[in-house]
Amino acid sequence: MQKMPVLFVLVEKYADWEGAFLAADIMTNTEKNGLVVKTVGVQTSTPSSIGGFKTQTDYMLEDAPEDFAGLVLIGGETWRMPEVEKVSILVRMAVEKNVPIGFICDATVFAAKHGFLNKIRHTSNLLSDLREYCAEAYTNKASYIKEQAVSDGGIVTANGDAPAEFAYLMAKALKLASEEEIEDSFVAHKHGFYARCGRKPEWQSYLDEE
């Protein structure tokens, strides 16, 4: 069975930690849901992350497949540069296809600038940043929510310190696994291995060993 891609857009100086939990959750469950992670470059086919990782992307933006199951825009330091403006075309395609879309950290500012947050509840790093940078393009301050991550209308937004919450809400939107499995992964990502063990009676031996 050919697996459907979830496209991760990686700009230069992307925030590598912000999509790590979600990417791992997708690939861990790939045999169950038929989804696979594929990366898309914008300024270069080998973007470097804030943490110094250099990624060989699967596609450049111009070559990205038109058939995909989800779209994820990872935050980074270059979302306000002119050369990333063309990513909005891919986002509009995702909206038309009604597939889950995720914006995290400064990618939420990009989303606001292009009007993608004007009809949904959402969050970001700072409301003031959306209002000042996006100006009249952003008209939905009443629906801004001070939460780590927010899901509405098939779109997930999150601040840059919310990779676990972002992964949790995107996993639900993408239907990666059962509700219990998604919850277990979130607890592990957010609170650690032993917190996850405490939720599962069959794993109690891990807690009881000396």
Side-chain angles (χ1 to χ4, degrees), residues 13 20 34 50 53 55 58 60 65 68 77 87 98 116 128-129 135-136 140 142 146 155 176 191 198 202 207:
K13 294 298 181 183
I50 292 173
F53 291 102
T55 302
D58 296 295
M60 284 298 289
F68 54 90
E77 295 181 355
V87 176
N98 197 32
F116 297 118
S128 59
D129 203 20
E136 65 274 6
N140 195 20
K146 294 180 180 179
I155 294 178
L176 294 187
H191 303 290
E202 65 272 27
L207 301 178

Side-chain angles (χ1 to χ4, degrees), residues 104-138:
I104 183 169
C105 198
D106 218 42
T108 61
V109 178
F110 175 87
K113 181 182 177 183
H114 290 275
F116 297 118
L117 307 185
N118 283 337
K119 295 183 179 179
I120 62 168
R121 292 178 294 111
H122 59 279
T123 194
S124 181
N125 291 331
L126 289 169
L127 174 58
S128 59
D129 203 20
L130 297 184
R131 296 176 65 182
E132 292 169 12
Y133 180 76
C134 302
E136 65 274 6
Y138 175 64

Side-chain angles (χ1 to χ4, degrees), residues 46-102:
T46 55
S48 295
S49 73
I50 292 173
F53 291 102
K54 187 176 288 292
T55 302
Q56 178 63 60
T57 55
D58 296 295
Y59 310 102
M60 284 298 289
L61 185 64
E62 296 79 9
D63 305 318
E66 295 184 2
D67 198 13
F68 54 90
L71 180 65
V72 181
L73 275 62
I74 298 302
E77 295 181 355
T78 57
W79 273 112
R80 308 188 192 198
M81 292 188 173
E83 57 264 40
V84 305
E85 291 293 303
K86 53 191 175 179
V87 176
S88 63
I89 298 172
L90 187 59
V91 178
R92 289 191 182 94
M93 187 184 301
V95 171
E96 291 172 1
K97 291 177 176 294
N98 197 32
V99 299
I101 307 171

Side-chain angles (χ1 to χ4, degrees), residues 24-41:
D25 286 345
I26 292 171
M27 296 305 293
T28 298
N29 292 284
T30 185
E31 297 304 324
K32 297 178 183 177
N33 53 49
L35 303 180
V36 64
V37 170
K38 293 293 181 180
T39 52
V40 179

